[in-house]
Amino acid sequence: MSAAPNIPVLEVDGLVKHFPILGGLLQRRVGAVRAVDGVSFSIAKSETLGLVGESGCGKSTIGKTVLKLIEPTAGRILLGGEDVTKLKPGAMWPHRQRIQTIFQDPYSSMNPRLPAGTIVGEPLENYGITRGAETDERVARLFERVGLRPDAMRKYAHEFSGGQRQRLGIAKALSVNPDLIVADEPVSALDVSVQAQVLNLLIDLQEEYGLAYLFISHDLAVMRHISHRIAVMYLGRIVELATKRTLFTQPLHPYTEALLSAATAPDPKRRRKRKRIVQGDVPSPAKPPPGCHFHTRCPYAMAECKVTAPPLIEVAPGHHVACLRRPVGGDPGPLSVPG
Amino acid sequence: MSAILEVRDLHTQFNTLDGVVRAVDGVSFDVARGETLGIVGESGCGKSVTALSILRLIPPETGRIAQGSIRFEGNELTALSEEAMKSLRGHRISMIFQEPMTSLNPVLTVGTQIAENVVRHMGVPWSAARERAREMLDLVRIADAKRRLDEYPHQLSGGMRQRVMIAMALSCDPQVLIADEPTTALDVTIQAQILDLMIELKEKTGTAIVLITHDLGVVAETTERVVVMYAGRKVEEAPVEALFENPLHPYTRGLMRAIPRLDVEADAAGTRPRLQEIPGLVPILTRPIVGCAFAARCELATDRCRATPPPFVDAGGGHIVACWEVKL
């Protein structure tokens, strides 16, 4: 199942997801957590789009909404050009073959009483792609492809190490030949040496099968390694979207700059070079600040930033940024602190 | 520099259904007065158990310090009574953990918890202890400290809770602060704030810090000396600059090549260099390890490596490495 080459594998347009806050004796709706607040992006075949941001920025909610595990409040989701936003679970079912997922902790998504081979083979039987012995053969090939020994098909999930379990999760996601894999923090729980194995595997599989990834992570170094384009999120909104190279060499949004400057690097000489650390905590997504959500922590904020929410605009080809101080054709140099 | 804490040949073991786990298997190191020592390694390498052993917090039902010595200010901690240890913990040596919520009491206010520690160890009246608590919250830069004293842990953000833990840990002027993954649960921007705060306070108070982490970036940016652990053993120890410029142990070298780098110059768009993998898995700690613990995953390993544990080789300048095949 492959979409035409010029149609994006996934297109998200103006996605909004609000979770109600219930309160009082009658559990009436008293407010909403604006987890995702108008987000648009697309992912092409063989492309990795990274979603990066701190806890509560809405990156995982986007993943779940795209998978239709939760219903969006507003906006559209297009898989290979087909609008699936309003599809009921039954009608969504055939589309699920095209979009698979890998979790941070694959263990919680695996039935502890089923052997690994059955877990990986289940989607194949579910979609009637293969049956019986044919499934076993296909699963054995999948095991080999992700670096597991085929005789491990008889083992149970708890008998695998963390890294092997993640390979199992990848094999399961791959089994139905999806176009897109949503990977939510797939290597965060792994040790560095194992993390490298899994990242390399994901890249190899992408090149082999033309997979698209929506890769969700808080780790900038991992992001930089695996993504082609990166969207930086803050409190439910994308604040900057650019190619990896542009984002890391010429970040324009003050929040991106803060994230890059806060990230640690394995280089003792760098500690003296660290520029500015943004102060304060991330505000609650139930009560985001008005105007630009970042203005409460932004050293460059002007009076205007407190009232006007900046739109995400393309300031240079492929480089989108949502900051009032970064207009189209503006100077990409460092911002000055308003005096 | 005189050592305030000396750990020698520490062996800590746990009884499990699968047999005896040798979590720490002969580790030695010193902590000098006022220095920041990093202990780095992957899960199961024994770094946290080393910390718990120093504070004698190994649960006696399952674990024990089987062998070795821990000397703090000249006292042998392994021989101290539980009563004597209690007056040491949170006073002369204190500790902060990864998830502050699990170490803070949810039903007591922040001020009460800090003051309790001060009353217990300093023997001052409650009012003075409360005042000390306020001072400490100021010190860890919690805004509006006076009001925060009367708040409960759940009213604070993750970063603030870790600040409270640091305030509590430093409230009795400890000589050594052991920090076990203190920023791992925090967001990047908050992590940077907490690391900066720890370094600043260390310089202000002269407390030595033992920073336990899996994160080489955190080690590089905050510590002065580093101990690298693998499978319960120390494999390398060096000043932080030397370790990152010239890692000598094949495991340390492997780790450094396995991490995606943020600070390396941008590659041409689209090309993603392969990360170096360390093949294989860590050894199972219930089976005695003959020879070098890393031999099974090491490309340099010889028969000698598999048969005899390597001695430490001195590379000069305080840089030592346990490897038979290291070329100096």
Side-chain angles (χ1 to χ4, degrees):
Chain A
M1 276 204 147
S2 265
N6 49 348
I7 297 174
V9 174
L10 171 73
E11 219 177 328
V12 168
D13 184 25
L15 191 70
V16 174
K17 178 66 198 179
H18 291 178
F19 293 101
I21 304 170
L22 305 177
L25 190 63
L26 299 172
Q27 289 293 292
R28 288 217 175 88
R29 188 186 165 109
V30 293
V33 175
R34 303 155 82 90
V36 180
D37 211 9
V39 162
S40 305
F41 59 85
S42 67
I43 309 179
K45 190 176 159 63
S46 302
E47 187 190 34
T48 304
L49 177 75
L51 277 186
V52 70
E54 298 181 287
S55 24
C57 73
K59 55 190 193 301
S60 290
T61 305
I62 289 184
K64 286 183 195 146
T65 317
V66 161
L67 286 159
K68 295 267 292 182
L69 297 175
I70 50 179
E71 293 298 316
T73 308
R76 292 197 312 151
I77 302 161
L78 287 86
L79 279 182
E82 275 180 85
D83 192 335
V84 297
T85 323
K86 295 276 188 288
L87 293 187
K88 296 271 176 287
M92 185 63 203
W93 189 77
H95 296 280
R96 292 203 185 279
Q97 198 181 331
R98 293 196 291 200
I99 174 167
Q100 292 287 314
T101 180
I102 318 174
F103 300 100
Q104 174 171 354
D105 176 15
Y107 194 53
S108 54
S109 66
M110 289 171 186
N111 188 331
R113 294 183 189 164
L114 290 181
T118 310
I119 292 176
V120 173
E122 239 179 359
L124 285 167
E125 304 252 334
N126 246 342
Y127 280 102
I129 297 169
T130 56
R131 287 264 174 264
E134 211 187 333
T135 304
D136 289 344
E137 201 180 296
R138 179 82 167 263
V139 171
R141 282 212 307 277
L142 280 165
F143 266 57
E144 264 176 272
R145 185 60 202 86
V146 299
L148 292 169
R149 293 228 304 270
D151 58 14
M153 282 165 66
R154 282 188 299 274
K155 291 211 241 169
Y156 292 86
H158 73 267
E159 296 176 83
F160 293 88
S161 71
Q164 287 172 330
R165 250 178 240 151
Q166 201 50 285
R167 289 175 194 269
L168 213 54
I170 295 171
K172 183 179 165 149
L174 272 183
S175 62
V176 293
N177 289 330
D179 298 330
L180 170 74
I181 290 182
V182 177
D184 193 351
E185 302 273 10
V187 296
S188 310
L190 304 177
D191 275 323
V192 192
S193 63
V194 183
Q195 172 180 300
Q197 298 170 4
V198 173
L199 288 176
N200 282 339
L201 175 65
L202 287 173
I203 290 176
D204 290 347
L205 293 173
Q206 178 167 56
E207 281 162 10
E208 220 171 299
Y209 301 111
L211 286 168
Y213 291 136
L214 176 60
F215 197 96
I216 300 165
S217 176
H218 70 284
D219 186 327
L220 285 161
V222 165
M223 221 25 135
R224 176 169 184 171
H225 187 77
I226 197 154
S227 303
H228 297 104
R229 285 186 305 140
I230 297 174
V232 181
M233 290 195 64
Y234 191 76
L235 284 175
R237 295 177 184 163
I238 292 178
V239 296
E240 189 160 6
L241 172 64
T243 62
K244 155 171 73 177
R245 191 185 171 84
T246 309
L247 194 89
F248 282 96
T249 51
Q250 200 172 71
L252 289 179
H253 198 282
Y255 178 63
T256 313
E257 190 185 274
L259 268 187
L260 293 180
S261 132
T264 57
D267 177 5
K269 285 189 262 35
R270 207 189 92 111
R271 69 173 114 180
R272 274 153 213 103
K273 284 193 281 177
R274 185 185 281 171
K275 291 166 289 183
R276 172 180 279 118
I277 292 172
V278 65
Q279 295 303 322
D281 282 316
V282 183
S284 156
K287 263 186 282 174
C292 172
H293 288 345
F294 189 58
H295 83 256
T296 52
R297 303 171 78 196
C298 181
Y300 314 114
M302 319 173 290
E304 176 75 3
C305 301
K306 293 175 187 155
V307 283
T308 310
L312 186 68
I313 49 171
E314 190 165 8
V315 293
H319 194 168
H320 306 254
V321 60
C323 177
L324 294 178
R325 301 203 58 186
R326 296 292 192 187
V328 181
D331 175 14
L335 292 172
S336 58
V337 179
Chain B
M1 277 204 295
S2 61
I4 183 145
L5 183 67
E6 295 170 2
V7 176
R8 288 289 172 278
D9 197 30
L10 180 68
H11 289 72
T12 305
Q13 304 179 345
F14 292 90
N15 299 319
T16 68
L17 291 177
D18 297 326
V20 175
V21 172
R22 295 170 168 78
V24 179
D25 198 22
V27 165
S28 305
F29 60 88
D30 286 350
V31 181
R33 252 171 230 286
E35 82 165 333
T36 311
L37 174 76
I39 301 182
V40 69
E42 299 183 288
S43 8
C45 74
K47 54 192 192 299
S48 291
V49 175
T50 302
L52 293 175
S53 302
I54 293 172
L55 283 167
R56 291 255 313 272
L57 289 173
I58 301 295
E61 309 81 52
T62 52
R64 69 207 147 92
I65 296 174
Q67 193 184 318
S69 134
I70 302 165
R71 291 185 78 80
F72 172 69
E73 293 183 317
N75 295 318
E76 179 58 49
L77 298 192
T78 53
L80 235 47
S81 71
E82 182 54 27
E83 268 317 298
M85 274 314 294
K86 272 186 184 159
S87 63
L88 210 79
R89 291 186 202 120
H91 181 200
R92 310 294 298 157
I93 308 178
S94 53
M95 183 157 179
I96 54 177
F97 300 89
Q98 177 172 341
E99 185 29 81
M101 201 56 195
T102 55
S103 18
L104 288 169
N105 188 333
V107 298
L108 292 181
T109 63
V110 161
T112 304
Q113 295 187 57
I114 302 177
E116 241 181 5
N117 196 44
V118 177
V119 170
R120 178 186 172 94
H121 293 298
M122 314 290 253
V124 295
W126 188 253
S127 57
R130 284 277 296 187
E131 180 50 29
R132 176 72 178 159
R134 196 196 51 76
E135 250 176 62
M136 291 313 296
L137 290 189
D138 273 338
L139 188 69
V140 298
R141 289 206 299 270
I142 289 185
D144 202 2
K146 214 174 160 78
R147 183 171 61 86
R148 294 288 184 190
L149 280 180
D150 295 319
E151 291 198 337
Y152 292 88
H154 75 267
Q155 293 173 288
L156 306 174
S157 68
M160 283 226 266
R161 280 182 213 138
Q162 200 56 289
R163 284 173 196 267
V164 168
M165 282 305 297
I166 294 174
M168 193 186 300
L170 295 181
S171 60
C172 298
D173 294 321
Q175 294 296 306
V176 177
L177 172 67
I178 300 174
D180 189 0
E181 303 273 10
T183 59
T184 307
L186 303 175
D187 277 322
V188 191
T189 56
I190 311 298
Q191 162 169 295
Q193 293 171 8
I194 297 290
L195 290 177
D196 272 23
L197 176 71
M198 285 177 57
I199 296 309
E200 185 199 314
L201 292 182
K202 192 212 80 160
E203 271 152 26
K204 215 180 261 179
T205 60
T207 303
I209 296 179
V210 179
L211 182 72
I212 292 168
T213 179
H214 71 285
D215 188 328
L216 285 169
V218 169
V219 166
E221 294 196 6
T222 51
T223 66
E224 293 158 75
R225 228 152 44 79
V226 187
V227 166
V228 183
M229 286 185 69
Y230 183 77
R233 299 175 183 179
K234 175 169 88 173
V235 295
E236 188 163 3
E237 177 178 339
V240 68
E241 293 84 5
L243 188 82
F244 282 87
E245 257 164 46
N246 187 23
L248 292 175
H249 197 282
Y251 174 64
T252 320
R253 299 169 83 107
L255 270 187
M256 300 225 182
R257 285 195 300 248
I259 23 175
R261 300 282 296 243
L262 200 56
D263 55 333
V264 174
E265 258 313 289
D267 38 36
T271 59
R272 291 173 290 185
R274 282 187 82 76
L275 296 170
Q276 294 263 331
E277 302 175 7
I278 301 179
L281 297 170
V282 288
I284 296 163
L285 297 178
T286 44
R287 296 187 201 139
I289 298 167
V290 188
C292 172
F294 190 60
R297 303 173 77 185
C298 181
E299 52 183 28
L300 304 175
T302 62
D303 287 341
R304 178 168 62 171
C305 301
R306 285 180 278 269
T308 320
F312 277 97
V313 181
D314 191 346
H319 194 163
I320 56 171
V321 56
C323 179
W324 284 116
E325 295 301 315
V326 68
K327 304 277 183 293
L328 296 178

